[in-house]
Amino acid sequence: MLSLFSNNSESLSFRQLRAKDDLRLRILGPIRGVLPIGPDGIPAFDTLKTSPFSDQNTRDGMLSYKYTLEQQGLISNIGCVYDTESPVTFWTLDDRTRYALQYNGTCDGKGEVLRGVVPFVVPNVLGFWACGSPANGAQDPSYFIYLRGRANYAKSFGNITCTISPLKPATFPVTYQSQSRFFFVKELTSVSPATYPRLIEKTLEALGDIVQKSQNSESNLVAESVVTFGVSSFRLHPYVQDQQYLRLYEAMIQGMLEYEVCSS
């Protein structure tokens, strides 16, 4: 969501992946599925073994520097809309408990994505399901995310349907600047026609798990992150339907999917 600011100065840190000198990898802006390599990226993936950076004395004498590498990432587009219907269904766990709910969904002719998933048990408020378009061999399949609000989110959240295009390998210029110690992933220079259906399906499974585990008895941390960011950064009214909230959901889901792909 931070990438929606043109003057954003907040970076994302890969805490589990350390660069040289025990510094954490930090990316300013969208990740785009890139895992930074090179002298200041992940040491095991440094492909510039023969370069000015190979000599430590030369490197120590540099006051500042930057370099740009062409790297492979993945690209996918996402668009979200408020919807009148949802395939997500809630029901009570048993007749004695009104607050312990189960939910799942049906794809109704679309491709199944969440295979073998048991009904989610939640205390309240936000349901998630994912489907794929039927494979017809004529075009790349799309994927659909369904978010359904209940209780506290029934009116303000409602039903949101997000359409995601297939993940495709793409080449991005990735620049490192030593003064800021940030990586910047720029706009793509090329994209492959190949797609990876199973990869995006695994990331959608992980996303559903995140949404489910973000529940508590009063709220959902995924939804609250968007509401809080919208109020504090865009002066939106809380708990209302607004097109800007949809843009925030798009950016957040896109970032989560890219991070899942990157970590994979």
Side-chain angles (χ1 to χ4, degrees):
M1 291 187 290
L2 291 167
S3 66
L4 296 178
F5 286 118
S6 59
N7 59 345
N8 170 49
S9 60
E10 298 282 343
S11 64
L12 178 68
S13 174
F14 283 80
R15 296 176 182 272
Q16 76 277 27
L17 300 173
R18 297 183 181 275
K20 289 185 178 179
D21 303 321
D22 202 34
L23 295 173
R24 290 171 177 169
L25 294 173
R26 297 191 298 171
I27 296 181
L28 189 64
I31 306 173
R32 305 192 193 283
V34 169
L35 193 62
I37 62 176
D40 297 277
I42 301 171
F45 297 157
D46 181 6
T47 59
L48 299 182
K49 294 300 183 182
T50 305
S51 74
F53 299 94
S54 304
D55 183 79
Q56 189 61 46
N57 292 328
T58 302
R59 188 182 176 112
D60 291 342
M62 296 178 182
L63 297 178
S64 65
Y65 60 89
K66 70 175 181 178
Y67 61 85
T68 299
L69 300 175
E70 296 277 320
Q71 292 191 227
Q72 179 176 293
L74 289 163
I75 187 170
S76 180
N77 295 316
I78 179 170
C80 297
V81 296
Y82 290 111
D83 213 337
T84 57
E85 298 179 349
S86 174
V88 179
T89 302
F90 294 93
W91 69 94
T92 55
L93 192 58
D94 58 55
D95 294 335
R96 297 166 298 175
T97 307
R98 293 186 300 118
Y99 300 105
L101 301 175
Q102 297 184 86
Y103 75 84
N104 65 9
T106 58
C107 289
D108 191 24
K110 295 185 173 68
E112 296 289 341
V113 172
L114 305 183
R115 301 178 180 88
V117 173
V118 298
F120 297 102
V121 179
V122 297
N124 217 339
V125 290
L126 185 63
F128 171 97
W129 202 250
C131 300
S133 60
N136 55 19
Q139 60 184 13
D140 295 331
S142 297
Y143 296 87
F144 306 93
I145 289 177
Y146 304 99
L147 298 167
R148 182 180 183 186
R150 185 189 178 279
N152 301 342
Y153 298 140
K155 290 185 178 180
S156 61
F157 194 96
N159 303 318
I160 292 178
T161 299
C162 300
T163 304
I164 305 174
S165 64
L167 289 173
K168 293 184 177 182
T171 303
F172 299 91
V174 183
T175 298
Y176 178 80
Q177 293 187 347
S178 66
Q179 289 180 314
S180 64
R181 293 179 175 175
F182 287 159
F183 283 94
F184 303 84
V185 183
K186 301 179 181 179
E187 294 298 323
L188 66 87
T189 56
S190 65
V191 61
S192 168
T195 61
Y196 292 88
R198 190 60 188 141
L199 181 57
I200 192 170
E201 289 175 10
K202 294 295 290 184
T203 60
L204 292 177
E205 290 176 9
L207 181 58
D209 192 50
I210 291 170
V211 172
Q212 189 266 332
K213 290 181 178 178
S214 298
Q215 304 277 11
N216 59 46
S217 60
E218 298 294 334
S219 62
N220 181 281
L221 296 180
V222 170
E224 290 299 319
S225 297
V226 174
V227 173
T228 301
F229 195 84
V231 171
S232 63
S233 301
F234 291 95
R235 301 184 183 277
L236 301 178
H237 294 290
Y239 306 110
V240 298
Q241 293 191 5
D242 190 293
Q243 293 298 311
Q244 187 62 48
Y245 277 126
L246 293 178
R247 306 293 82 78
L248 294 176
Y249 276 108
E250 291 169 355
M252 182 181 67
I253 293 172
Q254 184 80 25
M256 294 169 78
L257 293 176
E258 289 176 353
Y259 188 85
E260 288 286 345
V261 168
C262 197
S263 299
S264 298

